[in-house]
Amino acid sequence: MIKIVLCDDHAVVRMGLKMLLNNHEDMEVVGEASEGNEGIQQALELKPDVVVMDLSMPHGKDGLSATSELKKLMPEVEILILTMHDDEEYLFRAIQAGASGCILKSAPQEELLGAIRSVSGGNAYLHPSATKRLMEEYLGSVKQGNHDTFNLLSDREKEVLTLIAKGFSNKEIAEQLFISVKTVETHKGNLMEKLQMKTRPELVAFALKKGLLGYGL
């Protein structure tokens, strides 16, 4: 029996997942949480085999931070990230945080069930279409050996870089920093020019290496 804790800020989503998973003889949902801190506590108390963790939870601790902290407290627990984002950068960040895999919320039920069974058996689950690009981005980030470029960034550019790496959109960054979207785009352009990078995943990889998210390479 695979014991599972669900961590998602939408009660309806948790209810649907619970009904789906409990309908299979080899799975049992033993706990639920609406944000990362609660998910960590549920895992510590219930000792599940797998935590199904939502990536984006606006209230409380987000999925990536919770994953990183939980893996330090319970290295044996397997974490499967749920995300709406079909983008390599989110998969990369999830794996770097300690997740065993990442699956889209739009994935078929059979894929979710297979992913849970896979990670519970100690295997990684990588979204097939993202695996090749993930490796390319990772290898590219490793080759970015120039650490001095970080010192070229202004304090505001470092703030924008951190928020980009956390997955916020240009509009959300503008709202948090009380600046215009156009100004955010200007800072982002300056970041890419100073760091000699061309893609958002490269910025995320760089932020991870610099420890801006609290966990890194």
Side-chain angles (χ1 to χ4, degrees), residues 165-188:
K166 289 183 176 179
F168 292 101
S169 66
N170 289 350
K171 182 179 179 181
E172 291 170 333
I173 294 172
E175 292 173 350
Q176 289 203 34
L177 299 181
F178 302 101
I179 57 179
S180 68
V181 173
K182 185 176 181 179
T183 300
V184 173
E185 293 172 347
T186 298
H187 285 311
K188 183 178 177 181

mmCIF file of all heavy atoms in Angstrom, residues 165-188:
data_model
loop_
_atom_site.group_PDB
_atom_site.id
_atom_site.type_symbol
_atom_site.label_atom_id
_atom_site.label_comp_id
_atom_site.label_asym_id
_atom_site.label_seq_id
_atom_site.Cartn_x
_atom_site.Cartn_y
_atom_site.Cartn_z
ATOM 1 N N ALA A 165 13.184 33.597 -10.852
ATOM 2 C CA ALA A 165 13.536 32.217 -10.512
ATOM 3 C C ALA A 165 12.444 31.540 -9.692
ATOM 4 O O ALA A 165 12.308 30.317 -9.727
ATOM 5 C CB ALA A 165 14.857 32.187 -9.747
ATOM 6 N N LYS A 166 11.650 32.305 -8.964
ATOM 7 C CA LYS A 166 10.561 31.745 -8.170
ATOM 8 C C LYS A 166 9.307 31.514 -8.999
ATOM 9 O O LYS A 166 8.307 31.009 -8.492
ATOM 10 C CB LYS A 166 10.240 32.664 -6.984
ATOM 11 C CG LYS A 166 11.320 32.656 -5.905
ATOM 12 C CD LYS A 166 10.929 33.527 -4.715
ATOM 13 C CE LYS A 166 11.967 33.440 -3.595
ATOM 14 N NZ LYS A 166 11.622 34.292 -2.432
ATOM 15 N N GLY A 167 9.369 31.892 -10.288
ATOM 16 C CA GLY A 167 8.264 31.582 -11.185
ATOM 17 C C GLY A 167 7.229 32.676 -11.360
ATOM 18 O O GLY A 167 6.188 32.447 -11.974
ATOM 19 N N PHE A 168 7.492 33.878 -10.834
ATOM 20 C CA PHE A 168 6.531 34.961 -10.974
ATOM 21 C C PHE A 168 6.573 35.546 -12.390
ATOM 22 O O PHE A 168 7.624 35.619 -13.019
ATOM 23 C CB PHE A 168 6.814 36.069 -9.960
ATOM 24 C CG PHE A 168 6.553 35.676 -8.537
ATOM 25 C CD1 PHE A 168 7.585 35.327 -7.699
ATOM 26 C CD2 PHE A 168 5.258 35.652 -8.040
ATOM 27 C CE1 PHE A 168 7.353 34.956 -6.379
ATOM 28 C CE2 PHE A 168 5.006 35.277 -6.723
ATOM 29 C CZ PHE A 168 6.059 34.931 -5.896
ATOM 30 N N SER A 169 5.422 35.968 -12.892
ATOM 31 C CA SER A 169 5.333 36.602 -14.204
ATOM 32 C C SER A 169 5.822 38.050 -14.103
ATOM 33 O O SER A 169 5.973 38.598 -13.005
ATOM 34 C CB SER A 169 3.894 36.594 -14.703
ATOM 35 O OG SER A 169 3.075 37.417 -13.880
ATOM 36 N N ASN A 170 6.037 38.679 -15.254
ATOM 37 C CA ASN A 170 6.467 40.083 -15.257
ATOM 38 C C ASN A 170 5.453 40.971 -14.533
ATOM 39 O O ASN A 170 5.829 41.881 -13.784
ATOM 40 C CB ASN A 170 6.658 40.572 -16.689
ATOM 41 C CG ASN A 170 7.876 39.963 -17.359
ATOM 42 O OD1 ASN A 170 8.693 39.323 -16.704
ATOM 43 N ND2 ASN A 170 8.002 40.168 -18.654
ATOM 44 N N LYS A 171 4.174 40.688 -14.745
ATOM 45 C CA LYS A 171 3.122 41.483 -14.094
ATOM 46 C C LYS A 171 3.169 41.314 -12.573
ATOM 47 O O LYS A 171 3.052 42.289 -11.825
ATOM 48 C CB LYS A 171 1.755 41.074 -14.632
ATOM 49 C CG LYS A 171 0.602 41.876 -14.040
ATOM 50 C CD LYS A 171 -0.731 41.437 -14.627
ATOM 51 C CE LYS A 171 -1.882 42.221 -14.007
ATOM 52 N NZ LYS A 171 -3.200 41.779 -14.549
ATOM 53 N N GLU A 172 3.350 40.071 -12.110
ATOM 54 C CA GLU A 172 3.406 39.804 -10.664
ATOM 55 C C GLU A 172 4.641 40.444 -10.039
ATOM 56 O O GLU A 172 4.592 40.955 -8.917
ATOM 57 C CB GLU A 172 3.406 38.297 -10.421
ATOM 58 C CG GLU A 172 2.078 37.626 -10.753
ATOM 59 C CD GLU A 172 2.168 36.112 -10.743
ATOM 60 O OE1 GLU A 172 3.269 35.589 -10.983
ATOM 61 O OE2 GLU A 172 1.127 35.455 -10.492
ATOM 62 N N ILE A 173 5.760 40.418 -10.757
ATOM 63 C CA ILE A 173 6.984 41.055 -10.262
ATOM 64 C C ILE A 173 6.778 42.562 -10.141
ATOM 65 O O ILE A 173 7.176 43.186 -9.149
ATOM 66 C CB ILE A 173 8.170 40.751 -11.194
ATOM 67 C CG1 ILE A 173 8.511 39.261 -11.153
ATOM 68 C CG2 ILE A 173 9.402 41.569 -10.807
ATOM 69 C CD1 ILE A 173 9.536 38.837 -12.173
ATOM 70 N N ALA A 174 6.142 43.145 -11.159
ATOM 71 C CA ALA A 174 5.874 44.586 -11.147
ATOM 72 C C ALA A 174 5.017 44.971 -9.938
ATOM 73 O O ALA A 174 5.284 45.977 -9.266
ATOM 74 C CB ALA A 174 5.173 44.989 -12.443
ATOM 75 N N GLU A 175 4.009 44.151 -9.643
ATOM 76 C CA GLU A 175 3.126 44.439 -8.500
ATOM 77 C C GLU A 175 3.876 44.324 -7.178
ATOM 78 O O GLU A 175 3.661 45.145 -6.275
ATOM 79 C CB GLU A 175 1.942 43.477 -8.526
ATOM 80 C CG GLU A 175 0.993 43.712 -9.693
ATOM 81 C CD GLU A 175 -0.086 42.642 -9.795
ATOM 82 O OE1 GLU A 175 0.010 41.620 -9.074
ATOM 83 O OE2 GLU A 175 -1.021 42.827 -10.593
ATOM 84 N N GLN A 176 4.754 43.334 -7.058
ATOM 85 C CA GLN A 176 5.490 43.135 -5.805
ATOM 86 C C GLN A 176 6.512 44.243 -5.553
ATOM 87 O O GLN A 176 6.737 44.640 -4.417
ATOM 88 C CB GLN A 176 6.196 41.776 -5.809
ATOM 89 C CG GLN A 176 5.244 40.604 -5.682
ATOM 90 C CD GLN A 176 5.936 39.367 -5.128
ATOM 91 O OE1 GLN A 176 6.833 39.460 -4.296
ATOM 92 N NE2 GLN A 176 5.524 38.204 -5.588
ATOM 93 N N LEU A 177 7.137 44.731 -6.638
ATOM 94 C CA LEU A 177 8.199 45.736 -6.489
ATOM 95 C C LEU A 177 7.696 47.161 -6.709
ATOM 96 O O LEU A 177 8.487 48.111 -6.637
ATOM 97 C CB LEU A 177 9.333 45.432 -7.468
ATOM 98 C CG LEU A 177 10.038 44.073 -7.297
ATOM 99 C CD1 LEU A 177 11.152 43.924 -8.312
ATOM 100 C CD2 LEU A 177 10.585 43.929 -5.877
ATOM 101 N N PHE A 178 6.385 47.291 -6.995
ATOM 102 C CA PHE A 178 5.764 48.603 -7.210
ATOM 103 C C PHE A 178 6.446 49.369 -8.351
ATOM 104 O O PHE A 178 6.765 50.565 -8.238
ATOM 105 C CB PHE A 178 5.800 49.437 -5.913
ATOM 106 C CG PHE A 178 5.119 48.784 -4.753
ATOM 107 C CD1 PHE A 178 5.848 48.136 -3.772
ATOM 108 C CD2 PHE A 178 3.722 48.780 -4.658
ATOM 109 C CE1 PHE A 178 5.224 47.513 -2.696
ATOM 110 C CE2 PHE A 178 3.091 48.156 -3.588
ATOM 111 C CZ PHE A 178 3.843 47.517 -2.612
ATOM 112 N N ILE A 179 6.676 48.654 -9.456
ATOM 113 C CA ILE A 179 7.234 49.256 -10.655
ATOM 114 C C ILE A 179 6.375 48.812 -11.832
ATOM 115 O O ILE A 179 5.496 47.968 -11.693
ATOM 116 C CB ILE A 179 8.713 48.841 -10.879
ATOM 117 C CG1 ILE A 179 8.845 47.305 -10.943
ATOM 118 C CG2 ILE A 179 9.600 49.415 -9.791
ATOM 119 C CD1 ILE A 179 10.262 46.815 -11.187
ATOM 120 N N SER A 180 6.625 49.395 -13.003
ATOM 121 C CA SER A 180 5.830 49.047 -14.180
ATOM 122 C C SER A 180 6.330 47.760 -14.815
ATOM 123 O O SER A 180 7.475 47.344 -14.604
ATOM 124 C CB SER A 180 5.903 50.180 -15.208
ATOM 125 O OG SER A 180 7.216 50.279 -15.749
ATOM 126 N N VAL A 181 5.447 47.133 -15.596
ATOM 127 C CA VAL A 181 5.834 45.921 -16.317
ATOM 128 C C VAL A 181 6.975 46.228 -17.274
ATOM 129 O O VAL A 181 7.902 45.424 -17.438
ATOM 130 C CB VAL A 181 4.628 45.336 -17.083
ATOM 131 C CG1 VAL A 181 5.065 44.170 -17.969
ATOM 132 C CG2 VAL A 181 3.545 44.871 -16.112
ATOM 133 N N LYS A 182 6.932 47.399 -17.889
ATOM 134 C CA LYS A 182 7.989 47.795 -18.822
ATOM 135 C C LYS A 182 9.333 47.878 -18.113
ATOM 136 O O LYS A 182 10.365 47.471 -18.668
ATOM 137 C CB LYS A 182 7.650 49.141 -19.463
ATOM 138 C CG LYS A 182 8.636 49.560 -20.532
ATOM 139 C CD LYS A 182 8.206 50.846 -21.210
ATOM 140 C CE LYS A 182 9.205 51.238 -22.295
ATOM 141 N NZ LYS A 182 8.794 52.494 -22.985
ATOM 142 N N THR A 183 9.329 48.386 -16.877
ATOM 143 C CA THR A 183 10.572 48.469 -16.103
ATOM 144 C C THR A 183 11.092 47.077 -15.769
ATOM 145 O O THR A 183 12.297 46.820 -15.813
ATOM 146 C CB THR A 183 10.347 49.268 -14.804
ATOM 147 O OG1 THR A 183 9.908 50.592 -15.137
ATOM 148 C CG2 THR A 183 11.637 49.365 -13.989
ATOM 149 N N VAL A 184 10.179 46.156 -15.452
ATOM 150 C CA VAL A 184 10.582 44.769 -15.184
ATOM 151 C C VAL A 184 11.247 44.176 -16.421
ATOM 152 O O VAL A 184 12.294 43.531 -16.336
ATOM 153 C CB VAL A 184 9.361 43.903 -14.779
ATOM 154 C CG1 VAL A 184 9.769 42.429 -14.683
ATOM 155 C CG2 VAL A 184 8.799 44.371 -13.455
ATOM 156 N N GLU A 185 10.632 44.413 -17.589
ATOM 157 C CA GLU A 185 11.197 43.892 -18.834
ATOM 158 C C GLU A 185 12.571 44.480 -19.108
ATOM 159 O O GLU A 185 13.467 43.784 -19.617
ATOM 160 C CB GLU A 185 10.243 44.195 -19.986
ATOM 161 C CG GLU A 185 8.921 43.428 -19.881
ATOM 162 C CD GLU A 185 7.903 43.871 -20.924
ATOM 163 O OE1 GLU A 185 8.128 44.933 -21.554
ATOM 164 O OE2 GLU A 185 6.873 43.181 -21.085
ATOM 165 N N THR A 186 12.758 45.750 -18.750
ATOM 166 C CA THR A 186 14.068 46.392 -18.924
ATOM 167 C C THR A 186 15.102 45.738 -18.018
ATOM 168 O O THR A 186 16.223 45.429 -18.453
ATOM 169 C CB THR A 186 13.986 47.894 -18.607
ATOM 170 O OG1 THR A 186 13.068 48.516 -19.523
ATOM 171 C CG2 THR A 186 15.361 48.555 -18.737
ATOM 172 N N HIS A 187 14.738 45.511 -16.753
ATOM 173 C CA HIS A 187 15.658 44.852 -15.816
ATOM 174 C C HIS A 187 16.000 43.448 -16.296
ATOM 175 O O HIS A 187 17.152 43.007 -16.207
ATOM 176 C CB HIS A 187 15.031 44.777 -14.416
ATOM 177 C CG HIS A 187 15.019 46.086 -13.688
ATOM 178 N ND1 HIS A 187 16.138 46.884 -13.574
ATOM 179 C CD2 HIS A 187 14.025 46.716 -12.997
ATOM 180 C CE1 HIS A 187 15.838 47.961 -12.867
ATOM 181 N NE2 HIS A 187 14.560 47.876 -12.512
ATOM 182 N N LYS A 188 14.995 42.744 -16.801
ATOM 183 C CA LYS A 188 15.214 41.378 -17.290
ATOM 184 C C LYS A 188 16.180 41.386 -18.474
ATOM 185 O O LYS A 188 17.084 40.542 -18.570
ATOM 186 C CB LYS A 188 13.879 40.754 -17.693
ATOM 187 C CG LYS A 188 13.995 39.300 -18.149
ATOM 188 C CD LYS A 188 12.619 38.751 -18.483
ATOM 189 C CE LYS A 188 12.707 37.321 -19.007
ATOM 190 N NZ LYS A 188 11.358 36.795 -19.365
#
